[in-house]
Each structure stands twice: as structure tokens, then as C-alpha cells.
């Protein structure tokens, strides 16, 4: 097959056909020394290093440059980058490129943990903005333009604003365009974690990308909804406030000096997948989605919630938590993206006309899972979870200051008013419920207890067995 429209893949295929002899890294020698299963080992023929004709990610002048140029043209950016360390490295780089120690940064509370890690590493100070509660999905959505305007009134040294769009659950912020204009009026760059929107460019029926709405830097996880390998992501820059060269500088520092050619090839392919997506392909996706939706809604006690992103569906079973449904589905060999107190999240495939999905077997397994739930006692907690609308605020202590302080474990019921020593992150979706240095509120306590009772998993300083959290010792 000719891969000229995917220049990096074509170069790798040409190299493989030469049957090259390896006296270079990596040590598996094109897979010859690998003990991996045969199907995995075959891919190692493409797992190479910066050899003649294969270019260099950190100083591209050949096939990688051409792959990035094609990506840049597709998204209409000033420059787009291939990322091999996930959207995490994109979030780190865009913040390093725009803020420094002590700078104020507007950030919505339901941002991914990598955003808060970036703020910690740069020494910037987060100004927390509460998202609006989305009653349909029972999840935190985006922030309002009114909230952003109020933040600018309260804080005069804002150097950047970071927003997440869409949310993990596929909810788009319909005020994002207005928010971007508001920030630009203050000459504040807007950085958007668009991890779940890499497919938006494929068809006009998908929500509009933040880049099209005027955002300065946008990061996308190609591996989430496009046919790219895990950790494969994109970063796009188009800005009057952020220098492309500065973003490139920090990507050079933060990304691996031995980038995976397998990941980069999958990004080249993912870009082509979007670029070649057409009306016939979208009609096939819609047909698959409609049939799946119709069949699921015919199952007794099942409710399906549609969101802004057509690739996301939320499925609920009356009288059961999402955790129970997820467990029942996994017993049938069906794996959802995540579960919460109310539902499971399904990420549908971005199918093309020649990849039409078949729903019959999937629906049967859903029916079997629901039957299994009916045979067990309901696990639905009596308490409802709702993210509180907290005031605009900053952390009481910076992470630098916290490192100098002592900590103690305390039962969460006694922690109201105390300062969290470490962040607490329900995972998935990886959104901090409580940030390090933030004062513990009654709303935090209620949410943690409800999530723990429902079986949620946590990262950070929360001992579920004893219901203790780590706070600053005073």
C-alpha cells in the first residue's frame, strides 16, 4: 500500500522493506530478541530510532516535519505538534510557556490533575472557578462567562486561563467563545485541555474545537477517540499572546529524548483518518449509533443519556450505581470507559463506512448484565452527589509552603476548616475533588463520603478504609 499521504508511515514501511541489520538501539533488534507474543513482536520492526530518512521529533526537517505540516494545515494552526507523552506533556508545556512563579491562573475546578501538576511545577497560583452543574448528566460542566468576569474583577495579575472542553462526559461549554473573548480583552491567553475532542475536526456535526473558537493553545488526546496508540496526542498553537517557539522549547525539554516511532506513526495515521473522514463515513457512524441507542433504550430499567459529543453515551440502570453496572458489564466482557455514582460512560468508535459496527452481540451482553443486576440487591446510595458551587478562591498555601509544613491524618468528619496537605483525586476521571493547600469545606466531606461508600477509587491522600485524609498539622 502507498502511504504517501502519511509521510512518516511511508518512511517506516520503506525502511522495514530494506530488511536492515541493527547495530543501534533499541536492544530488541527489530523484535528479533523479544520474548513478547508474536502479534506484539511484529510491531517492533517499526520501533526504531532517529536513523537516516526517519527524521528527529525534536528538530524535524524531513518526514516528521511533513507529518506535522499536514496536521497544521488540517487544524488551521500556526503550528501543530506530535506528542508522545500524552496530553499531560501538552498541558505541562503550554503552562510552562505562559506562566511563572507567583502568577495567577484561572482554572476550573474540574480540570484534569495534569493541569494542577503543571501549576505546582511552575509555581503559579491557581484561581479556582467552580463549574456549572449539568443536571442531565449529573456531572460538573464548564464555567460561565459571568464567573470569569468576576474573577478578573477580583484578581489583577492573571497571566493565563485554563479551561477543559469538552468534559470527560462529552458536555461542551456553549459559552467558551465568549469566555475566550473576555480573556483576550485582558490580554490573557486561553489554554484549553481538549483531550476528548481530537475528533471534532472530522465532521461539522461534532462540537466546535476550542481552536476554531479562538483559543491560543489546544491539547488533544488523539488516542481517546481517534485510532492512535495510548499516549499519542496533539498540541496546536495559534496565538497573538503565546510564542510558538516557547511552546516548542518546553516540549523539547519535557518530552522523551527517545520518542516512540510507533506512537508517532499512529498520530500520522490518526491525522489522515480525520482528514479523509467524509459524509458517507459519518452516515455510517450515525446508523451504528442510532441502532445501539434504540436497542439499549428497549431494555427495561435502562436509561441512555445523550450529550453534545455524539461519541459519548451515558447508560443508567434504575436502582443501581454506575459502579454496579460497570461490574455487571465486565462479567459479560463489556468494558466501559468509567463509572460513577449514577452511570457508566461509553465511548463509541468513530467508525467509517468500511468499519460499520454490529450492535446485536453488544446489546445481548447489556441485557445479560441488567438481568444480573436485577438478581442482586440494589446498591443505590440514598445520598445524591452534586458538585457544590464554591466561591472564586485560591489555595491557602502554595505547594512550596506546604513542603515546609507538617501533616497529620485526620478523620474526614473532623477535617472541616483544615487545610488539605495533598490533593484527593477520584480516578477515573482524574479530576481533583480537593486540591493541595485548599481549605476543606463541608461539601468536600459529603462528596468524599458518598463516593467512598459507592466504591469509587481514589488517588492521593485519602484512606478509604479509615475515612482519613491528610491535612496540615496546626
Amino acid at each position: 500500500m502507498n502511504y504517501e499521504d502519511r509521510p512518516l508511515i511511508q518512511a517506516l514501511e520503506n525502511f522495514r522493506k530494506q530488511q536492515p541489520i541493527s547495530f543501534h538501539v533499541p536492544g530488541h533488534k527489530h523484535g528479533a530478541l523479544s520474548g513478547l507474543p508474536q502479534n506484539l513482536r511484529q510491531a517492533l520492526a517499526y520501533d526504531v530510532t532517529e536513523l537516516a530518512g526517519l527524521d528527529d521529533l525534536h528538530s524535524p526537517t524531513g518526514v516528521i516535519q511533513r507529518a506535522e505540516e499536514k496536521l497544521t494545515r488540517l487544524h488551521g494552526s500556526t503550528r501543530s505538534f506530535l506528542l508522545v507523552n500524552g496530553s499531560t506533556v501538552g498541558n505541562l508545556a503550554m503552562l510552562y510557556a505562559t506562566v511563572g512563579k507567583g502568577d495567577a491562573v484561572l482554572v476550573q475546578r474540574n480540570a484534569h490533575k495534569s493541569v494542577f501538576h503543571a501549576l505546582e511545577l511552575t509555581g503559579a497560583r491557581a484561581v479556582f472557578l467552580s463549574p456549572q452543574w449539568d443536571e442531565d448528566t449529573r456531572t460538573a460542566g464548564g464555567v460561565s462567562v459571568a464567573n470569569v468576569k468576576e474573577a478578573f474583577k477580583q484578581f489583577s495579575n492573571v497571566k493565563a486561563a485554563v479551561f477543559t472542553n469538552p468534559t470527560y462526559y462529552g458536555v461542551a461549554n456553549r459559552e467558551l467563545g465568549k469566555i475566550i473573548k473576555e480573556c483576550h480583552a485582558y490580554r490573557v491567553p486561553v489554554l484549553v485541555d481538549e483531550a476528548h475532542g481530537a475528533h471534532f475536526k472530522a465532521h461539522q456535526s461534532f462540537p466546535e474545537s476550542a481552536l476554531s473558537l479562538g483559543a491560543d493553545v489546544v491539547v488533544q488526546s488523539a488516542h481517546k477517540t481517534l485510532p492512535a496508540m495510548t499516549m499519542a496526542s496533539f498540541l496546536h498553537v495559534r496565538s497573538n499572546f503565546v510564542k510558538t517557539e516557547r511552546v516548542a522549547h518546553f516540549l523539547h525539554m519535557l518530552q522523551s529524548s527517545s520518542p516512540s516511532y510507533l506512537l508517532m506513526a499512529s498520530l500520522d495515521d490518526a491525522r489522515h483518518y480525520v482528514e479523509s473522514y467524509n459524509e458517507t463515513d459519518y452516515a455510517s457512524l450515525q446508523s451504528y449509533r442510532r441502532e445501539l441507542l434504540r436497542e439499549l433504550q428497549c431494555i427495561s430499567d435502562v436509561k441512555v443519556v445523550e450529550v453534545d459529543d455524539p461519541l459519548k453515551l451515558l447508560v443508567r440502570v434504575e436502582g443501581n450505581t454506575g459502579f454496579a453496572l460497570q461490574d455487571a458489564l465486565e462479567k459479560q466482557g463489556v468494558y466501559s470507559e468509567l463509572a460513577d455514582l449514577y452511570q457508566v460512560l461509553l465511548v463509541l468508535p468513530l467508525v467509517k463506512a468500511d468499519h460499520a459496527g454490529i450492535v446485536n452481540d453488544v446489546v445481548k451482553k447489556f441485557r445479560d448484565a441488567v438481568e444480573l443486576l436485577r438478581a442482586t440487591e440494589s446498591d443505590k446510595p440514598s445520598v445524591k452527589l452534586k458538585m457544590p458551587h464554591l466561591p472564586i478562591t485560591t489555595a491557602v498555601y502554595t505547594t512550596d509552603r506546604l513542603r515546609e509544613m507538617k501533616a497529620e491524618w485526620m478523620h474526614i468528619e473532623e477535617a472541616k476548616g483544615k487545610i488539605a496537605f495533598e490533593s484527593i483525586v477520584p480516578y477515573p476521571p482524574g479530576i481533583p475533588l480537593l486540591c493541595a493547600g485548599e481549605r476543606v469545606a463541608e461539601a468536600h466531606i459529603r462528596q468524599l463520603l458518598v463516593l467512598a461508600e459507592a466504591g469509587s477509587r481514589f488517588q492521593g491522600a485519602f484512606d478509604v478504609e479509615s475515612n482519613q485524609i491528610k491535612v496540615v498539622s496546626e
Side-chain angles (χ1 to χ4, degrees):
M1 183 181 290
N2 190 319
Y3 292 101
E4 286 184 359
D5 49 359
R6 284 162 278 186
L8 179 53
I9 296 176
Q10 184 67 68
L12 286 169
E13 181 66 358
N14 292 342
F15 182 79
R16 184 193 64 81
K17 287 179 178 178
Q18 296 174 19
Q19 296 184 320
I21 298 171
S22 173
F23 285 104
H24 57 77
V25 300
H28 58 66
K29 306 301 179 184
H30 305 308
L33 304 185
S34 173
L36 289 171
Q38 177 63 21
N39 288 341
L40 276 175
R41 194 162 65 247
Q42 289 175 350
L44 298 185
Y46 301 92
D47 183 38
V48 291
T49 188
E50 293 88 348
L51 303 171
L54 297 182
D55 209 358
D56 180 351
L57 176 65
H58 294 293
S59 184
T61 57
V63 291
I64 294 177
Q65 181 185 45
R66 292 202 294 276
E68 289 191 335
E69 286 172 348
K70 284 178 175 288
L71 182 66
T72 297
R73 284 196 296 272
L74 173 64
H75 287 271
S77 61
T78 303
R79 184 176 174 186
S80 293
F81 298 85
L82 306 181
L83 305 182
V84 295
N85 290 66
S87 286
T88 292
V89 79
N91 288 338
L92 290 172
M94 68 183 183
L95 276 158
Y96 266 112
T98 51
V99 302
K101 189 170 184 177
D103 290 339
V105 179
L106 303 187
V107 57
Q108 63 190 77
R109 285 184 175 274
N110 57 331
H112 189 261
K113 61 179 181 176
S114 60
V115 170
F116 295 102
H117 290 164
L119 293 172
E120 179 179 345
L121 289 168
T122 59
R125 195 175 186 88
V127 176
F128 299 114
L129 305 181
S130 280
Q132 300 176 94
W133 183 255
D134 184 75
E135 196 59 47
D136 290 337
T137 62
R138 301 176 188 173
T139 64
V143 300
S144 68
V145 66
N147 210 16
V148 172
K149 287 181 177 180
E150 182 59 33
F152 278 117
K153 289 180 182 177
Q154 293 186 29
F155 296 88
S156 59
N157 63 331
V158 177
K159 300 299 183 183
V162 188
F163 303 106
T164 302
N165 189 71
T167 68
Y168 205 139
Y169 291 82
V171 178
N173 188 343
R174 292 176 174 82
E175 295 190 54
L176 183 59
K178 294 178 181 178
I179 288 171
I180 292 170
K181 289 180 181 178
E182 183 69 22
C183 292
H184 284 175
Y186 287 88
R187 301 191 62 78
V188 169
V190 176
L191 319 176
V192 177
D193 180 351
E194 198 170 83
H196 292 267
H199 59 292
F200 285 179
K201 198 71 176 177
H203 196 269
Q204 64 269 20
S205 296
F206 291 122
E208 194 168 5
S209 169
L211 195 70
S212 301
L213 293 171
D216 297 88
V217 187
V218 175
V219 178
Q220 300 171 331
S221 294
H223 67 92
K224 292 192 186 317
T225 52
L226 299 180
M229 295 176 67
T230 299
M231 290 176 59
S233 296
F234 299 132
L235 183 148
H236 313 289
V237 183
R238 188 175 65 196
S239 175
N240 293 323
F241 306 111
V242 182
K243 292 183 178 179
T244 305
E245 296 78 12
R246 190 160 172 80
V247 176
H249 169 71
F250 284 106
L251 284 175
H252 179 76
M253 292 177 65
L254 295 166
Q255 292 218 89
S256 171
S257 58
S258 300
S260 165
Y261 273 81
L262 290 174
L263 291 178
M264 290 189 288
S266 77
L267 283 169
D268 197 18
D269 184 57
R271 183 270 314 158
H272 176 264
Y273 196 88
V274 170
E275 197 169 52
S276 61
Y277 206 80
N278 57 38
E279 291 295 335
T280 304
D281 295 327
Y282 187 73
S284 180
L285 168 64
Q286 285 294 84
S287 176
Y288 168 76
R289 185 179 180 277
R290 280 194 302 268
E291 184 181 0
L292 179 62
L293 191 60
R294 182 178 62 251
E295 294 296 327
L296 288 177
Q297 288 173 329
C298 287
I299 303 174
S300 178
D301 296 328
V302 168
K303 180 178 180 181
V304 183
V305 179
E306 299 179 74
V307 293
D308 299 311
D309 182 358
L311 291 191
K312 302 289 181 70
L313 290 177
L314 309 182
V315 183
R316 300 170 186 162
V317 175
E318 185 66 32
N320 291 272
T321 65
F323 303 113
L325 175 57
Q326 183 182 55
D327 183 63
L329 286 170
E330 289 179 0
K331 286 181 169 64
Q332 307 301 322
V334 177
Y335 292 84
S336 58
E337 173 63 18
L338 64 78
D340 63 23
L341 196 61
Y342 302 106
Q343 59 221 345
V344 297
L345 169 64
L346 307 184
V347 181
L348 305 187
L350 184 66
V351 295
K352 287 190 172 184
D354 54 351
H355 296 132
I358 300 173
V359 304
N360 292 345
D361 187 50
V362 173
V363 173
K364 181 184 182 303
K365 291 179 182 295
F366 262 90
R367 289 184 186 277
D368 291 342
V370 173
E371 286 298 324
L372 182 63
L373 287 178
R374 289 196 188 111
T376 59
E377 187 176 343
S378 171
D379 72 332
K380 198 74 167 182
S382 58
V383 181
K384 287 189 175 182
L385 180 67
K386 183 173 182 177
M387 177 171 274
H389 193 83
L390 299 168
I392 298 170
T393 186
T394 61
V396 178
Y397 298 124
T398 64
T399 50
D400 284 347
R401 180 74 179 92
L402 284 173
R403 292 190 190 100
E404 301 171 356
M405 306 177 82
K406 293 182 179 180
E408 62 178 308
W409 287 93
M410 180 177 291
H411 194 280
I412 190 169
E413 297 276 18
E414 301 171 357
K416 182 179 178 181
K418 300 294 184 180
I419 308 301
F421 190 77
E422 294 180 17
S423 297
I424 300 175
V425 186
Y427 201 90
I431 295 167
L433 177 58
L434 190 61
C435 293
E438 190 175 7
R439 193 175 298 279
V440 180
E442 179 68 25
H444 295 133
I445 295 171
R446 294 302 110 203
Q447 280 192 300
L448 283 171
L449 289 174
V450 171
L451 286 170
E453 179 191 348
S456 183
R457 292 175 292 155
F458 296 89
Q459 295 179 349
F462 179 35
D463 187 325
V464 179
E465 295 297 321
S466 63
N467 276 342
Q468 290 187 322
I469 65 173
K470 191 181 285 188
V471 298
V472 173
S473 180
E474 297 181 80

